[in-house]
């Protein structure tokens, strides 16, 4: 077995044991979140484990439902958005990115959620909405300073591409005189 797969399996097993042994522990939200993410990562490494995806989604949804004030709630929304985005369920991804933004407007994850949501809109050729989201992501990142510099470059590049597409669309839509 690959080291990453083995470590992921051990992590999932460990978090499952914690939940079974201490179901009322004070950090259950974190444990459920880590179990959900770990299970989805395990599923990605083991495509034959068809139930792993369902279990991962289930654990993340439990965080959202059972822990409405938890800091892991926004992260669970984001993890679900990323999972659905990666698996082509773009409407569910859009919904969960939006939930991320509503539940964590000031966290770093919200900047990334805006960026990913902007990418979804750009793929749908909605460059107006994509531009708005990329600009909002840049505003979110302004408070993180140099720690976010590389990500900020990605967002700026996406914004530039989006604006170039918009300009090109306007140029081709305007009739020549």
């Amino acid at each position: 077995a690959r080291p990453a797969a083995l470590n992921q399996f051990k992590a999932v097993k460990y978090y499952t044991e914690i939940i079974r042994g201490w179901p009322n522990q004070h950090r259950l939200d974190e444990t459920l979140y880590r179990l959900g993410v770990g299970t989805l990562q395990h599923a990605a490494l083991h495509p034959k484990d068809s139930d792993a995806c369902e279990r991962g989604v289930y654990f993340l949804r439990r965080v959202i439902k059972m822990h409405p004030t938890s800091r892991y709630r926004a992260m669970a929304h984001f993890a679900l958005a990323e999972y659905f985005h990666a698996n082509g369920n773009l409407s569910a991804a859009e919904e969960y990115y939006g939930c991320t933004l509503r539940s964590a407007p000031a966290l770093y994850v919200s900047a990334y959620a805006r960026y990913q949501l902007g990418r979804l809109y750009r793929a749908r050729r909605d460059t107006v909405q994509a531009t708005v989201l990329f600009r909002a992501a840049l505003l979110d990142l302004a408070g993180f300073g140099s720690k976010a510099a590389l990500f900020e470059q990605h967002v700026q590049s996406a914004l530039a591409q989006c604006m170039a597409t918009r300009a090109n669309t306007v140029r081709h839509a305007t009739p020549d005189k």
Side-chain angles (χ1 to χ4, degrees):
R2 294 177 293 188
L6 186 59
N7 289 339
Q8 206 56 52
F9 177 76
K10 286 181 180 178
V12 168
K13 184 178 174 188
Y14 175 72
Y15 287 121
T16 302
E17 289 174 12
I18 291 173
I19 289 173
R20 285 189 183 136
W22 299 277
N24 297 317
Q25 56 137 329
H26 72 282
R27 291 176 56 181
L28 184 61
D29 56 341
E30 178 183 3
T31 306
L32 285 168
Y33 168 76
R34 293 190 186 280
L35 180 58
V37 169
T39 304
L40 289 177
Q41 290 171 345
H42 171 79
L45 294 171
H46 299 91
K48 292 181 182 177
D49 187 355
S50 60
D51 294 336
C53 290
E54 289 178 28
R55 288 192 314 268
V57 168
Y58 169 77
F59 292 128
L60 292 170
R61 285 182 173 158
R62 276 187 63 191
V63 173
I64 293 165
K65 185 176 181 178
M66 294 173 55
H67 303 278
T69 60
S70 169
R71 68 184 177 128
Y72 289 96
R73 186 169 196 253
M75 293 165 42
H77 281 298
F78 185 74
L80 286 168
E82 290 287 277
Y83 166 74
F84 287 120
H85 191 174
N87 287 288
N89 188 340
L90 301 183
S91 61
E94 181 179 3
E95 176 187 340
Y96 280 106
Y97 284 133
C99 290
T100 302
L101 295 174
R102 286 188 295 280
S103 60
L107 294 177
Y108 185 79
V109 72
S110 63
Y112 196 70
R114 286 185 213 288
Y115 168 71
Q116 289 290 72
L117 199 49
R119 289 181 60 218
L120 280 177
Y121 281 108
R122 189 177 69 194
R124 292 180 182 161
R125 305 208 187 290
D126 185 347
T127 55
V128 173
Q129 188 62 32
T131 299
V132 168
L133 288 160
F134 291 143
R135 285 184 174 153
L138 287 172
L139 288 173
D140 287 346
L141 291 171
F144 291 97
S146 62
K147 292 187 278 186
L150 182 60
F151 178 46
E152 190 172 350
Q153 289 174 0
H154 287 288
V155 178
Q156 287 174 343
S157 174
L159 177 60
Q161 290 171 6
C162 196
M163 293 183 75
T165 300
R166 285 180 63 194
N168 196 23
T169 303
V170 169
R171 233 187 336 266
H172 290 295
T174 306
D176 293 330
K177 293 185 179 186

